[in-house]
Amino acid sequence: MNTDLLGVIVTFAITVLLSYPLGRYIARVFKGEKTWLDFMAPLERLIFRLCGIDPKKGMNWKEFLKAMLTINLLWFVYGFFLLMHQDKLPLNPDGNPGQTPDLAFNSIVSFVTNTNLQDYSGESGATYLTQLLVFTFLQFTSAATGIACLIALFNGLREKTTNNLGNFWSIFVKSITRLLLPLSIVVSVILVFNGTPSSFKGKDTIITMQGDTVQVSRGPAAAMIAIKQLGTNGGGYFGANSAHPFENPTYLTNMVELISIVLISMALVFALGFYIRKKKFAYIIFGVMSLFFVLFCINNIYFESKGNPAIARLGIAQHTGSMEGKEVRFGAASTAYWSVITTSTSNGSVNGMHDSLMPLSGGIVILDMMINALYGGVGVGLLNYYIYIIIAVFIAGLMVGRTPEFMGHKVEAREVKIAALVTLLCAFLIKGGTALASYIFVHHPNADWAVKPSGWLNNPGFHGFSEMLYQYTSSTANNGSGFEGLADNNVFWNVTAGVVMILARFIPIIGPVAIGGLLANKKFIPESAGTLQTDSVTFGVMTIAVIVIITALSYFPPLALGPVAEYLNMR
Amino acid sequence: MKKYILPSLKMTLLLMLVCSLLYPLLIAGIGRLAPGGGDGQTVTVNGRVVGYALVGQKFDQDKYFWSRPSAAGFNAAGSSGSNKGPSNPDYLKDVQAHIDTFLAHNPGIGKQDIPAELVTYSGSGLDPDLSPEAAKIQVKRVARKRGLPEDSLYRLVDEQTSKPLLGFLGPSTVNVLKLNVALDKLNTDKMK
């Protein structure tokens, strides 16, 4: 077996082995049991006291969501103004300009929603101040928002009947102090010792061996890169993201970043089992997610290692696979693995350019974002998966002719309506957005805009269509990666993608938390012989079927028009 | 919602202190202990900085081992890939042009022996590495240009090759900048 493939397998194995104990640790933290990071408790108490918060006060689902939405709105407002006026603020050694209003709107939405789409380029579109005070900050807090909302759902599942989903502030702060911050410190120290800058010195100018004068961007990158991966944010410090040799210097850092991308999301699945004392239920979920995940990896590793058939026709052998948009130190297999893991988790960082992936690997990463629940973003991945569960429970109930039940609570019309609405919304945003953009591209190619629609695409034909489909899929999944050939820094793309990100972030969070709250409020029905066993393999298969059916019905047409058509055309 | 505004405001400020100030400063402090002091590790020749070890730079003269093509023009303040799709006809013309250039400068090399990375753009536009094969295929040209024996250059590439992590994880690589610095040194040593 070659070393490229071994690298991928070992990375995946380490991730699973680490995520299990981390899951147990997370469950202990939020149950309030003793952990070795209890020395953070005084800091937390200080924060609560200064903020005038009683961390023990329970919240029902409406109060919980209101607190979450209020603080998110606040971040949106201050970030928007900071980005627009960053040129006049300190810590701007490279003299970068302020962002235009539409770009600032897109950027701030993108980071508040944990998307990190980045229509700007880190080297020239942000300052050290905004990289830290806006982007790094939101990478912590948007991740903690997702985790807090998931723990609220856990609290609803844990009790027989309750209207207390926990205290938002308390869970939110602990997600940072007990989980995100300590892990980020570990990861950034590894990065720094492998060559990632943590510098405040600004650009350096050097003269190369051939005599060219080159400017080299640096900055406090290591700190941001650690949380970008651990919080499934994905927004890089440099334009080329983790393909940049400073952002991801070696194969070792590549492995560390690959592990960080999915570690917490995976651990939260195990945490669910420990927290609600239903380990088998968690294992089944983990199994379903991993099944899809591994199949997607096999597909992408196969196509990327095989190379580009069009380049093969030019007479090049491609023993190392398709190398366009990839880096030698990672190799094709590890870049293919990264492309799946980053789209499974709503992370969106890249170590190779997705626009240059082979057609069917590109198709799989788009599909992966459409499902958006294979481990998923921190917190929100399981919330999305919960929607699939509710629909599976509902359909299973219909099949046997009983009122559907989940964890001892009747699932009734209201809950199913919410779940259906969330699913339909995502399909609507992806297809509606792509349809709108395609319409304008075809019918108004010369519209009098700063960037004419005819200049949007970097590639012709089916692949060009995929660029637009990718952008709305990535925005809807709050992923943030792109087919970066798309000219997206202009009013049309900044605004439409921004609106899509907001809707696709908050409605799929509000929906499951509301369902969780509503269910937890209902009378508890003890298990009987007729109860649907949700921790069985049968139910796992049922969930797989629901995921396949919903995704296939919703998304087959656009996938056929983009990646599949390109594949068939270039064989 | 009103009762949540004040706590939100205070919490934002406090967490900013922790996440945006203390945390990056802590990492920057630890970074001072790392090679390069957290500012990036440079490569020097006779006391002059000729580049950053991790950041690829342009090598297109026949006397040096070439780097991979860069869609960013090796601009280390504006990294990017080509973002070309695999079936794009204009892109395939680009690849063809890279093949033609390579063949013109490396007579006697067969097309099927050119490693793909030498005719495709890297992801960052700053790829510092080559595979050992991609370095070795350039040995004939460099040796001829410099009047050095091919054996010594093959040996040089082997010396400069970084093996996979722990010997079994990931690809072998050669850092082009370090290889070329060592190459120049080989020439000066010979003249002595």
Side-chain angles (χ1 to χ4, degrees):
Chain A
M1 196 184 288
N2 68 33
T3 54
D4 285 19
L5 209 51
L6 263 176
V8 169
I9 293 168
V10 169
T11 309
F12 184 68
I14 295 176
T15 316
V16 177
L17 289 178
L18 287 177
S19 66
Y20 187 82
L22 183 65
R24 189 167 44 202
Y25 164 80
I26 293 174
R28 290 184 71 91
V29 167
F30 293 110
K31 275 196 256 179
E33 292 171 7
K34 271 207 176 84
T35 65
W36 62 277
L37 273 173
D38 282 342
F39 63 84
M40 295 297 248
L43 174 69
E44 291 155 6
R45 279 199 297 272
L46 181 71
I47 293 178
F48 295 136
R49 200 169 60 231
L50 290 174
C51 296
I53 289 164
D54 174 10
K56 295 211 168 57
K57 189 173 167 290
M59 292 178 168
N60 66 31
W61 68 269
K62 283 183 188 161
E63 292 167 330
F64 196 97
L65 288 174
K66 273 185 201 162
M68 182 276 284
L69 289 171
T70 309
I71 196 165
N72 271 267
L73 189 68
L74 183 79
W75 298 332
F76 175 82
V77 175
Y78 98 81
F80 181 72
F81 284 103
L82 233 57
L83 288 172
M84 270 182 66
H85 301 292
Q86 62 182 5
D87 53 327
K88 301 177 208 69
L89 297 166
L91 271 183
N92 183 11
D94 298 342
N96 290 336
Q99 296 197 350
T100 57
D102 56 304
L103 177 59
F105 169 74
N106 186 283
S107 304
I108 190 62
V109 168
S110 171
F111 277 80
V112 168
T113 59
N114 198 258
T115 311
N116 298 200
L117 198 59
Q118 298 187 294
D119 288 356
Y120 66 93
S121 188
E123 292 98 329
S124 55
T127 67
Y128 289 9
L129 185 87
T130 46
Q131 292 271 29
L132 292 175
L133 237 50
V134 180
F135 298 141
T136 308
F137 172 73
L138 287 172
Q139 289 184 328
F140 277 102
T141 53
S142 66
T145 300
I147 296 173
C149 292
L150 179 66
I151 301 297
L153 180 68
F154 283 9
N155 282 331
L157 291 173
R158 193 163 182 234
E159 305 297 331
K160 285 189 170 152
T161 299
T162 181
N163 60 8
N164 175 7
L165 296 189
N167 183 289
F168 170 76
W169 307 113
S170 165
I171 306 173
F172 171 75
V173 169
K174 278 188 182 171
S175 305
I176 294 177
T177 54
R178 302 298 179 97
L179 189 59
L180 295 168
L181 191 60
L183 283 173
S184 295
I185 293 175
V186 173
V187 170
S188 43
V189 167
I190 297 176
L191 288 173
V192 146
F193 277 92
N194 280 282
T196 302
S198 56
S199 163
F200 284 89
K201 279 190 180 160
K203 277 181 209 166
D204 193 11
T205 305
I206 53 158
I207 297 172
T208 67
M209 285 182 74
Q210 288 198 158
D212 303 319
T213 305
V214 173
Q215 291 196 310
V216 183
S217 284
R218 299 180 292 184
M224 177 177 179
I225 294 162
I227 184 60
K228 114 181 168 187
Q229 304 299 23
L230 288 161
T232 59
N233 293 285
Y237 194 91
F238 302 101
N241 207 291
S242 281
H244 194 292
F246 273 158
E247 194 139 345
N248 191 1
T250 64
Y251 199 79
L252 175 72
T253 60
N254 193 53
M255 285 177 73
V256 170
E257 291 190 28
L258 276 169
I259 292 167
S260 313
I261 287 176
V262 72
L263 181 65
I264 294 180
S265 299
M266 231 183 229
L268 283 167
V269 179
F270 293 120
L272 168 69
F274 290 113
Y275 198 80
I276 67 170
R277 297 175 296 265
K278 288 195 169 58
K279 281 199 229 170
K280 197 178 163 208
F281 179 61
Y283 296 152
I284 297 286
I285 295 178
F286 184 79
V288 172
M289 291 175 168
S290 301
L291 179 76
F292 280 105
F293 179 77
V294 169
L295 287 177
F296 288 177
C297 286
I298 292 173
N299 176 84
N300 281 26
I301 292 173
Y302 171 75
F303 279 106
E304 296 309 310
S305 304
K306 204 170 103 181
N308 182 346
I311 291 183
R313 280 195 284 275
L314 298 178
I316 300 295
Q318 303 181 81
H319 297 297
T320 49
S322 162
M323 287 306 288
E324 179 62 41
K326 295 192 182 62
E327 300 276 300
V328 171
R329 64 191 178 284
F330 310 138
S334 139
T335 307
Y337 176 67
W338 186 304
S339 72
V340 178
I341 216 160
T342 193
T343 45
S344 287
T345 54
S346 100
N347 181 291
S349 66
V350 295
N351 75 342
M353 296 301 127
H354 283 191
D355 218 345
S356 302
L357 289 174
M358 290 305 107
L360 287 191
S361 331
I364 284 295
V365 300
I366 296 176
L367 177 66
D368 207 359
M369 292 188 286
M370 288 165 168
I371 298 174
N372 203 18
L374 309 179
Y375 314 122
V378 287
V380 291
L382 262 180
L383 290 176
N384 290 339
Y385 193 89
Y386 181 68
I387 295 287
Y388 290 120
I389 290 181
I390 294 294
I391 294 177
V393 165
F394 173 66
I395 293 176
L398 288 182
M399 284 162 74
V400 295
R402 275 177 62 104
T403 312
E405 282 167 27
F406 180 60
M407 301 265 169
H409 298 110
K410 281 200 167 101
V411 178
E412 289 166 302
R414 186 143 64 139
E415 290 83 44
V416 177
K417 274 186 201 157
I418 298 174
L421 183 80
V422 170
T423 322
L424 290 175
L425 173 85
C426 294
F428 171 75
L429 291 176
I430 292 174
K431 290 188 291 188
T434 312
L436 175 69
S438 305
Y439 177 83
I440 293 176
F441 179 78
V442 172
H443 291 281
H444 303 283
N446 294 314
D448 191 17
W449 298 344
V451 177
K452 288 189 176 156
S454 59
W456 281 348
L457 306 180
N458 194 33
N459 291 286
F462 304 118
H463 196 87
F465 175 80
S466 300
E467 286 184 336
M468 297 190 281
L469 174 65
Y470 197 110
Q471 188 76 351
Y472 285 111
T473 309
S474 174
S475 303
T476 301
N478 290 157
N479 182 278
S481 62
F483 272 13
E484 291 296 341
L486 183 76
D488 51 12
N489 182 12
N490 53 66
V491 175
F492 177 83
W493 287 100
N494 279 335
V495 172
T496 57
V499 172
V500 167
M501 283 187 276
I502 297 180
L503 293 174
R505 164 75 170 179
F506 291 104
I507 293 175
I509 285 183
I510 294 170
V513 173
I515 297 175
L518 290 168
L519 287 184
N521 250 331
K522 294 186 187 186
K523 197 165 72 89
F524 184 78
I525 315 158
E527 266 187 29
S528 69
T531 307
L532 174 71
Q533 294 295 328
T534 46
D535 58 355
S536 62
V537 175
T538 317
F539 186 72
V541 174
M542 186 76 202
T543 323
I544 293 176
V546 164
I547 293 174
V548 170
I549 292 167
I550 289 181
T551 321
L553 288 181
S554 307
Y555 300 115
F556 183 71
L559 286 172
L561 283 176
V564 177
E566 188 186 11
Y567 168 72
L568 294 174
N569 232 15
M570 71 181 290
R571 269 198 307 172
Chain B
M1 241 173 184
K2 224 192 263 166
K3 69 173 173 182
Y4 300 116
I5 291 180
L6 205 58
S8 297
L9 195 65
K10 289 184 189 166
M11 181 157 290
T12 299
L13 290 172
L14 287 169
L15 287 179
M16 219 174 250
L17 205 65
V18 176
C19 302
S20 302
L21 199 72
L22 295 179
Y23 162 62
L25 285 177
L26 171 73
I27 302 306
I30 296 174
R32 306 225 61 83
L33 307 173
D39 296 326
Q41 213 177 346
T42 51
V43 174
T44 45
V45 174
N46 302 327
R48 182 175 84 82
V49 174
V50 293
Y52 282 78
L54 288 172
V55 180
Q57 54 179 261
K58 186 158 108 184
F59 284 108
D60 59 353
Q61 297 172 357
D62 283 349
K63 61 173 182 174
Y64 284 124
F65 288 95
W66 292 358
S67 311
R68 295 185 62 190
S70 162
F74 290 98
N75 175 4
S79 57
S80 96
S82 74
N83 290 309
K84 295 293 185 190
S87 63
N88 185 334
D90 290 336
Y91 160 67
L92 293 169
K93 278 183 207 148
D94 262 12
V95 176
Q96 184 62 54
H98 291 145
I99 298 174
D100 295 342
T101 313
F102 192 85
L103 291 177
H105 288 259
N106 296 272
I109 302 285
K111 214 199 268 186
Q112 68 288 348
D113 295 327
I114 306 177
E117 74 219 52
L118 284 173
V119 296
T120 51
Y121 297 105
S122 63
S124 60
L126 300 171
D127 194 337
D129 298 312
L130 290 176
S131 65
E133 294 73 33
K136 283 181 181 164
I137 202 162
Q138 304 186 47
V139 160
K140 276 198 171 66
R141 181 194 76 232
V142 177
R144 200 161 47 233
K145 192 79 192 169
R146 292 193 174 236
L148 288 167
E150 289 180 14
D151 285 359
S152 68
L153 292 191
Y154 283 120
R155 229 175 305 131
L156 187 72
V157 172
D158 283 335
E159 280 165 25
Q160 292 291 326
T161 299
S162 309
K163 290 268 170 285
L165 181 64
L166 304 178
F168 69 101
L169 302 173
S172 299
T173 58
V174 183
N175 183 298
V176 188
L177 176 59
K178 289 183 181 165
L179 176 65
N180 282 326
V181 169
L183 177 66
D184 271 354
K185 198 159 168 288
L186 207 62
N187 255 112
T188 13
D189 289 352
K190 196 183 142 202
M191 289 200 311
K192 272 178 200 161

